Amino acid sequence: MTILYKVHNNLYVNLTNKCPCACTFCLRQTRDHMEDSGVLWLEKEPTVDEVIADFANFNMDDYDEVVFCGFGEPTERLDDVLEVCRFIKDKYNKTIRINTNGLADLIHKKNTAPMFDGLIDIVSISLNTPNKERYLELTRSKFGIESFDAMIKFAENVKHYVKEVVLSTVSTTLTEEEEKECADICKKIGVTYRIRPFED
């Protein structure tokens, strides 16, 4: 099964297939891999030891970042993510990014932001839309209408513990007015707004 895989100049970590959302646009609904990744559906969740062992199969000098992002929400296994991060920092001292839906606080029923301190360098959160009702329509989050506000609150909290927090939307999916609203949200809470290219 695929635990680590390359995308561009980064090494991605596929730790879980669990996710509290069932996004209408999620790539895993239409494919089982990314580029040359191999199948990202896991036979079972890899242990921390299995993840760490897989790094020996890659020349880490070839990669700019290690990115926690696979066919699931990485913060579903937040403790394990952070344990792997400690290994990466100690052995390779690489920049670490986590791509997340920002719902870690709802998943774990607590403020998770302090856990990221000193281990995660970049948190990239899928904002998707400036509207909480539309957000629920798109993500179909099991946590319901409170999901949007919880995601924004997480972004606001975690910026105190990581160097860079980015909220993103996908180009061509929003109107210019909606993109301006997203930019205003990001400005208000003091994080970066990014419009990323559409992938099919």
Side-chain angles (χ1 to χ4, degrees):
M1 63 184 180
T2 302
I3 300 173
L4 304 181
Y5 64 103
K6 179 183 176 182
V7 177
H8 306 305
N9 295 325
N10 298 327
L11 190 63
Y12 279 55
V13 185
N14 183 38
L15 210 59
T16 185
N17 291 153
K18 292 179 188 168
C19 187
C21 298
C23 296
T24 57
F25 51 83
C26 187
L27 293 174
R28 73 182 195 169
Q29 296 192 65
T30 56
R31 61 202 296 179
D32 63 7
H33 66 285
M34 295 298 295
E35 297 177 22
D36 301 320
S37 68
V39 174
L40 293 176
W41 291 111
L42 295 164
E43 301 148 25
K44 65 176 185 66
E45 289 191 339
T47 65
V48 169
D49 287 343
E50 286 174 322
V51 177
I52 287 172
D54 202 20
F55 278 90
N57 297 315
F58 296 83
N59 180 358
M60 295 304 293
D61 292 336
D62 293 342
Y63 304 104
D64 299 329
E65 296 178 359
V66 176
V67 184
F68 286 84
C69 175
F71 270 9
E73 168 51 42
T75 64
E76 286 274 3
R77 295 184 63 188
L78 185 54
D79 289 335
D80 292 339
V81 165
L82 298 176
E83 193 172 340
V84 175
C85 287
R86 288 184 192 96
F87 163 78
I88 295 165
K89 286 296 185 188
D90 288 346
K91 189 166 178 68
Y92 304 113
N93 195 30
K94 287 287 180 183
T95 297
I96 299 174
R97 169 161 51 102
I98 188 165
N99 291 356
T100 175
N101 56 29
L103 301 181
D105 292 357
L106 295 179
I107 293 169
H108 298 285
K109 300 181 173 61
K110 65 179 180 180
N111 174 19
T112 58
M115 299 171 69
F116 289 67
D117 192 21
L119 293 172
I120 308 282
D121 301 292
I122 305 166
V123 175
S124 181
I125 303 168
S126 299
L127 176 58
N128 298 313
T129 173
N131 176 289
K132 69 169 70 176
E133 290 79 16
R134 181 65 179 141
Y135 178 87
L136 183 57
E137 272 179 38
L138 288 171
T139 64
R140 299 183 289 198
S141 167
K142 72 177 188 182
F143 297 115
I145 198 67
E146 68 177 305
S147 300
F148 182 83
D149 289 341
M151 175 263 296
I152 297 296
K153 186 66 177 173
F154 169 77
E156 194 171 10
N157 288 339
V158 83
K159 75 177 184 183
H160 299 293
Y161 300 98
V162 303
K163 295 173 190 169
E164 186 177 357
V165 177
V166 180
L167 265 58
S168 67
T169 59
V170 178
S171 63
T172 75
T173 63
L174 298 179
T175 64
E176 282 188 16
E177 180 57 34
E178 286 171 325
E179 287 178 348
K180 182 181 181 302
E181 290 176 47
C182 288
D184 288 344
I185 288 170
C186 293
K187 184 177 180 182
K188 181 180 177 183
I189 65 172
V191 301
T192 300
Y193 177 47
R194 175 175 173 249
I195 301 171
R196 65 184 192 274
F198 176 78
E199 288 184 75
D200 57 16

